[in-house]
Amino acid sequence: MSVTLKDVALAARVSISTASRALGGSGLTSERTQQRLTRIARELGYRPNPIARGLKTGQSRLVGLLVHNLANASFQVMAEVVQARLKALGYQMLLCIAGDDPQLESDTLTTLADHRVDGLIVVPTGKNGARLTALANEIPIVCLVRRDDGTDLETVLADDSEGAFVGTRYLTGLGHRRIGLIVGRPDTTSGRERLSGYVRALREASIPVDDTLIHAGHFEPETGAASCRKLLDLTEPPSAIFVANHEATLGVLRVTAERGLSIPDDLSLLCYEHSPWFEWHRPAISIVDNGARDLANLAVDRLLHRMDAKGNGADSVREYRVGARLVIRDSCRPFDPAARGSSATKLSRSKA
Amino acid sequence: MSVTLKDVALAARVSISTASRALGGSGLTSERTQQRLTRIARELGYRPNPIARGLKTGQSRLVGLLVHNLANASFQVMAEVVQARLKALGYQMLLCIAGDDPQLESDTLTTLADHRVDGLIVVPTGKNGARLTALANEIPIVCLVRRDDGTDLETVLADDSEGAFVGTRYLTGLGHRRIGLIVGRPDTTSGRERLSGYVRALREASIPVDDTLIHAGHFEPETGAASCRKLLDLTEPPSAIFVANHEATLGVLRVTAERGLSIPDDLSLLCYEHSPWFEWHRPAISIVDNGARDLANLAVDRLLHRMDAKGNGADSVREYRVGARLVIRDSCRPFDPAARGSSATKLSRSKA
DNA sequence: CTGTTAGCGCTTTCAC
DNA sequence: GTGAAAGCGCTAACAG
């Protein structure tokens, strides 16, 4: 099979431990043997066996990343960023997809723990706080994107409240007063906070909050489609829709297409989270960018920090926020009372 | 730390080896001890340590998946499928992203080998045939999507020639005679084969192949944008464009948007590979579906087969093909001599 | 600075 | 059917 440390030691006529020390760069060997061993190892094509090392050191050089899916553009970039950053440091990423399912999440955490990952970045469902807390005693964990209220692990979040606030304010600034909101489930950090940002912006603009304009639901295209239909079918439909639920965007686009609505002329549309498609979509869709890349980078930073500080205990557990950014493109326009989506033309829906 | 086999054995007052046998389900223990040990193990919360087991057995319960990126929808579903299938069998997926870079691919292969993955599914760059062949002596490998001509590993491919043929024939059937092709680099399996399918369909329709209509380039949005511009700027621009390079699609959509082209009225557009966005895009984009999900499933099947048959040598190495499927939506229409993109109106381009 | 020794947790001969 | 013992490849005391 492959060449082991023993082979190297044998070839160099030193003991296995000397070989280990020399190659481990511990600096506990003479300059000469170190160089000699390095050379011999290279000649023999020696590559340390991480499994054997892991058994001894209790480390695996593996880091887990647990996300809900890969369809979401944010999770894609997170996976790419995490894998790239870690690889540069000699770690491999164990990517797990748990579909926002608490049971699957729990099982996956177990598997990850079994594999003795050296660290773990997880986008929690929010239903496994106890599991996570327990696991955190064994391995460094940082939560990403969502907080699990059942635990107080270090967490890297987007500034969703601010993001939704900025996005909604942009819309009110454009003169819209009836703004539909399609947002994530209120039992998720992002769902709650985006809703609160929306409400705050409305209050600031002295616009009463109309519950019929707010649809909170699962992170799925269907949610977007159903919600969008209901919004458009209102006797006083909104003139703008803020889709603060990334997965739901597809559904919204489908419905607006089905109904032949022209964006932004008939309806202004603002979405959440960056995706290349939004940029090339016609019209280019304005978004609130949650900063997925920065979130991922920060999560990796924090994780590495914890992995280094391993055991230093009492390291203050923090919550970090990555600011959101409004990216204005072409899917929103100033409120026009004559436009179809405005309440002034509520009866014109029959055209569809 | 965590409870080991030793703890279980101790608690059950049996030897470690008996415990191992009982829990390993080797059937070499009495029914009674087996049940007793199982119960005790559960009570103690025993979970076998894959690292220790791996050191002994030479297996890691890890399977590597090496893809170019996660932006490509096909790679997304492949990653999801591979991870889901493997998890069900007790394996974990090591996802690696090598960006279609041969050097990165080579490095990654080394890392994967170091981690003693039990199997490997790789979308090859095509430049590391020797590396792959060598590696294949140690671990089962199956190539996916692309063939590496430098090796003869088992390979699961899409039927790209047929796919491009069917797609192009659909377009010629619609009456189009000047059909632009934006396709992948000719040094990739898919690039070559899609080009050949296109040519074959043209020949069958007795349409001469015009090289100025063919753009082969890197798998990037920029390629699509640049190629699309050149095609539209031709004195005799195409009336339809077949984008047989998934990554390039974004660029094409951008350019058609920039120029205010209406699809399919000004230009028919046919794309390659399934993506949820194509379905919701307005107009819904017709595609040739390469069957990413089926490709991934087949690759997993073949890999598992090889992992089982481990060492049975002389297992015939095959190339598998997954058929392509034309999915007609709304982005193509019959050729209309009056339409802007047709050669009959070449001078009307000035409208833009 | 280097060699010897003892495991990490598990599987697997080999005896009984 | 079960126990004792060896060892996977490596690291880390412990002596010299």
Side-chain angles (χ1 to χ4, degrees), chain A residues 221-276:
Chain A
E222 288 68 26
T223 300
S227 303
C228 186
R229 283 202 191 91
K230 285 194 188 128
L231 285 172
L232 296 175
D233 286 344
L234 249 27
T235 35
E236 284 195 85
S239 59
I241 294 183
F242 186 6
V243 191
N245 171 336
H246 190 63
E247 282 82 352
T249 310
L250 281 178
V252 171
L253 290 176
R254 170 194 231 176
V255 170
T256 57
E258 274 175 4
R259 304 217 173 179
L261 289 178
S262 163
I263 293 169
D265 292 336
D266 295 333
L267 181 72
S268 284
L269 193 62
L270 179 63
C271 295
Y272 218 107
E273 299 181 41
H274 172 75
S275 160

Side-chain angles (χ1 to χ4, degrees), chain A residues 78-119:
Chain A
M78 287 174 187
E80 296 200 348
V81 167
V82 170
Q83 117 100 73
R85 292 272 320 262
L86 290 175
K87 187 168 53 192
L89 294 165
Y91 289 92
Q92 278 306 112
M93 172 182 77
L94 236 38
L95 178 67
C96 297
I97 298 164
D100 203 3
D101 172 356
Q103 183 56 51
L104 211 51
E105 175 179 49
S106 180
D107 292 348
T108 306
L109 288 175
T110 303
T111 314
L112 253 12
D114 283 350
H115 276 279
R116 303 299 192 274
V117 290
D118 294 341

Side-chain angles (χ1 to χ4, degrees), chain B residues 64 91 101 128 200 214 254 270 297 307 314 321 335 342:
Chain B
Y91 289 91
D101 172 356
N128 280 307
R200 187 153 55 89
I214 300 175
R254 171 194 231 176
L270 179 62
N297 271 310
M307 284 165 61
R321 291 280 179 174
F335 172 68
S342 75

Side-chain angles (χ1 to χ4, degrees), chain A residues 1-3 47-52 54-55 58-62 68-72 75-76 79-80 83 87 90-98 104 108 110-112 114-116 138 221 246 249-251 253-254 256-263 275-282 285, chain B residues 1-3 47-52 54-55 58-62 68-72 75-76 79-80 83 87 90-98 104 108 110-112 114-116 138 221-222 246 249-251 253-254 256-263 275-282:
Chain A
M1 175 89 192
S2 63
V3 30
R47 319 224 80 239
N49 180 337
I51 300 190
L55 182 56
Q59 309 218 307
S60 59
R61 300 254 98 190
L62 255 30
H68 298 333
N69 61 62
L70 285 182
N72 184 313
F75 293 150
Q76 285 166 33
E80 296 200 348
Q83 117 100 73
K87 187 168 53 192
Y91 289 92
Q92 278 306 112
M93 172 182 77
L94 236 38
L95 178 67
C96 297
I97 298 164
L104 211 51
T108 306
T110 303
T111 314
L112 253 12
D114 283 350
H115 276 279
R116 303 299 192 274
E138 297 176 29
H246 190 63
T249 310
L250 281 178
L253 290 176
R254 170 194 231 176
T256 57
E258 274 175 4
R259 304 217 173 179
L261 289 178
S262 163
I263 293 169
S275 160
W277 293 95
F278 292 159
E279 213 168 332
W280 315 118
H281 193 278
R282 188 178 178 203
I285 296 176
Chain B
M1 174 90 191
S2 64
V3 30
R47 319 224 81 238
N49 180 337
I51 300 191
L55 182 56
Q59 310 218 307
S60 59
R61 301 252 99 189
L62 256 28
H68 299 333
N69 61 63
L70 284 181
N72 184 312
F75 294 150
Q76 284 167 35
E80 295 200 350
Q83 118 100 71
K87 187 169 55 194
Y91 289 91
Q92 278 305 112
M93 173 182 75
L94 236 39
L95 179 66
C96 298
I97 299 164
L104 211 50
T108 307
T110 302
T111 313
L112 253 12
D114 284 350
H115 276 280
R116 303 298 192 274
E138 297 176 29
E222 288 69 25
H246 189 63
T249 311
L250 282 177
L253 290 176
R254 171 194 231 176
T256 57
E258 274 175 5
R259 303 218 174 179
L261 289 178
S262 163
I263 292 170
S275 160
W277 293 95
F278 292 159
E279 213 168 331
W280 315 119
H281 193 278
R282 187 177 178 202

Side-chain angles (χ1 to χ4, degrees), chain B residues 194-242:
Chain B
R194 291 182 192 175
L195 174 57
S196 82
Y198 163 86
V199 169
R200 187 153 55 89
L202 251 39
R203 293 246 164 83
E204 194 185 73
S206 304
I207 298 173
V209 174
D210 179 348
D211 284 344
T212 63
L213 289 176
I214 300 175
H215 286 260
H218 292 280
F219 297 94
E220 284 159 13
E222 288 69 25
T223 300
S227 303
C228 186
R229 284 201 191 92
K230 283 192 190 132
L231 286 172
L232 296 175
D233 286 343
L234 249 27
T235 35
E236 284 196 86
S239 61
I241 294 183
F242 186 5

Side-chain angles (χ1 to χ4, degrees), chain B residues 29-93:
Chain B
T29 54
S30 75
E31 188 76 2
R32 253 186 68 246
T33 47
Q34 170 134 351
Q35 298 192 340
R36 199 163 64 87
L37 267 291
T38 311
R39 182 175 51 76
I40 295 182
R42 185 157 26 77
E43 286 173 5
L44 262 47
Y46 169 71
R47 319 224 81 238
N49 180 337
I51 300 191
R53 174 180 287 162
L55 182 56
K56 188 66 193 173
T57 63
Q59 310 218 307
S60 59
R61 301 252 99 189
L62 256 28
V63 168
L65 174 65
L66 179 50
V67 298
H68 299 333
N69 61 63
L70 284 181
N72 184 312
S74 292
F75 294 150
Q76 284 167 35
V77 337
M78 287 174 187
E80 295 200 350
V81 167
V82 170
Q83 118 100 71
R85 292 272 320 264
L86 290 175
K87 187 169 55 194
L89 295 165
Y91 289 91
Q92 278 305 112
M93 173 182 75

